[in-house]
Amino acid sequence: QVQLVESGGGSVQPGESLRLSCAASGRSFTNFAMGWHRQRPGKEREFVAAVGWRGTSRKYYADSVKGRFTVSADNAKTTVNPQMDNLTPEETGVYYCAAVPFEDGEWDYWGQGTQVTVSS
């Protein structure tokens, strides 16, 4: 049974940092891209960051988080961690871990999400 389980969400103040974690199990994700998306209140789910398909050196980021978020993964991609720095209230939302097998494929697997709240 494939599972993506997120953890690390919580409440922080503006400007603070949070590190999320995704634990992937049930199949090999070595050749998948592993990513994070978020859904903010009243908005559609959007891409945030990902570790690419071959190895872990290729990283992808939404323009809105470049320079503040850093995503990493172990070689087997069983754990995927975004370090999120200098968070803003507009980044409050539910953050989801997901996996996609091909560069032009669909995000096949999703976690249940973890809540991130940024508020003073």
Side-chain angles (χ1 to χ4, degrees):
Q1 178 184 359
V2 173
Q3 281 191 310
L4 301 180
V5 180
E6 303 96 336
S7 61
S11 295
V12 296
Q13 296 189 344
E16 293 187 339
S17 299
L18 208 57
R19 181 178 173 88
L20 305 181
S21 184
C22 173
S25 62
R27 65 158 297 152
S28 172
F29 288 98
T30 303
N31 295 321
F32 278 63
M34 303 295 290
W36 285 84
H37 296 67
R38 67 187 176 193
Q39 187 159 19
R40 298 179 284 171
K43 297 185 181 294
E44 294 188 355
R45 190 157 54 187
E46 61 182 349
F47 171 78
V48 175
V51 176
W53 287 266
R54 294 177 180 80
T56 59
S57 62
R58 295 171 65 187
K59 310 291 177 63
Y60 304 88
Y61 297 97
D63 288 343
S64 60
V65 307
K66 283 179 182 176
R68 299 186 298 114
F69 287 20
T70 304
V71 65
S72 62
D74 66 324
N75 288 337
K77 297 178 185 170
T78 58
T79 58
V80 185
N81 306 109
Q83 172 69 36
M84 310 187 298
D85 296 328
N86 196 18
L87 286 161
T88 69
E90 292 71 32
E91 295 180 299
T92 292
V94 180
Y95 285 67
Y96 298 90
C97 179
V100 56
F102 307 111
E103 194 158 347
D104 57 353
E106 298 290 329
W107 293 90
D108 282 349
Y109 302 109
W110 291 86
Q112 291 300 306
T114 185
Q115 176 70 41
V116 171
T117 301
V118 186
S119 173
S120 56

